[in-house]
Amino acid sequence: MSAAGLLTIATAVSLVVGWDTILGIADAPLPHAGAAALVVIAIIAISLPFGVGQRVLIGAMRNPTAIALSTIAPLFTLAGSALIVWLRLSPTFLVLPAVIGSMAVAVVSSVVAARIVGTSFMDIFRPNDFRYRGLLRIGGWYLLLTLASAIAFQSGRVILAHAANLEVVADFSLAMQFYVPLWSFFVAGGTALWPVFARLRSSATDSRPLVLRMVGFFVCAAALCGAGLTIAGPWVARLLAHGNIDPSWTLFAAASLLIVVQAVQLVQGVSLTDRAGIRFQALCALPLVVVVPALTFAGAGLLGASSPFVAATVGVVVFQVLPNAVRLRAGARAGSSNQSAPEVSHE
């Protein structure tokens, strides 16, 4: 259903407005850029139903398998991009290897997960046999949280394309080539904690000590990686761009700061995955849809390519890190009260 809805919306936008206009590349020398954008969205939509595969592997405590399969995407992206450059095809084709690689990861992961849990494709058409109907209610809130985050954090390039010049867009796009794989590394590690916190919650064990320990670990790792990115990023970027793009170190510092605050939010988020926790996160994330794009647009003239990173950092701290910290603290106090009540009653 999600895939069909996304395909319908993407096709309608392509026919009515045009993706090249929305992306701010209508006048760029990229042949068939709008059609390429539609193809990319179509591939993402087709991948959506298979996205459950990696989640099943993680839930089944097959984290090494999930991480190993995830390496298919960057390898395919590298090989596909090299082939396109070698064949001297239009730069428009360079948008395809990454999304095709991600689709390959999703499909292979789903096949492996289906064999592990002993299910088949036909089970999709037997919803009455699905015993955990409450999971769909949790999924609705998680879908809302995902949509809010996607709109807030993935709109930076589009906003810069309309609020700044192509040089700023190029700087931001190049910085994202460093930010995305680095952040994906933390996402892989943080998502693996999801079933761990779920088991602690089901056994009525206080998870706050683990949350604090993991926040410290992830923040230290993010700070080290961010320091390396800030120091080496500008030099590597200039080398990769053959001197045609010269991003400042402040751009990579802004991206590094975002990774640090997101590392805190990542651990908090996977520890609040019960129905009430997901609902709380989704409602708190809704303002991100308005605040982050607005701050990005307002800061584009002053901060340039750093504007989306700075805006996202402010949004994560105000609408995710701080509210989740309050939620975790309140939950810990409630758990302490619940544990002390039987002792009083017993005495």
Side-chain angles (χ1 to χ4, degrees), residues 18-29:
W19 284 104
D20 50 353
T21 301
I22 292 178
L23 295 175
I25 54 176
D27 298 328

Side-chain angles (χ1 to χ4, degrees), residues 151-170:
I151 294 173
F153 301 138
Q154 301 301 324
S155 59
R157 188 219 170 279
V158 177
I159 294 174
L160 290 180
H162 295 279
N165 54 46
L166 288 179
E167 182 179 352
V168 172
V169 175

Side-chain angles (χ1 to χ4, degrees), residues 103-116:
M103 182 176 67
V105 171
V107 172
V108 173
S109 297
S110 292
V111 172
V112 174
R115 292 179 178 178
I116 291 176

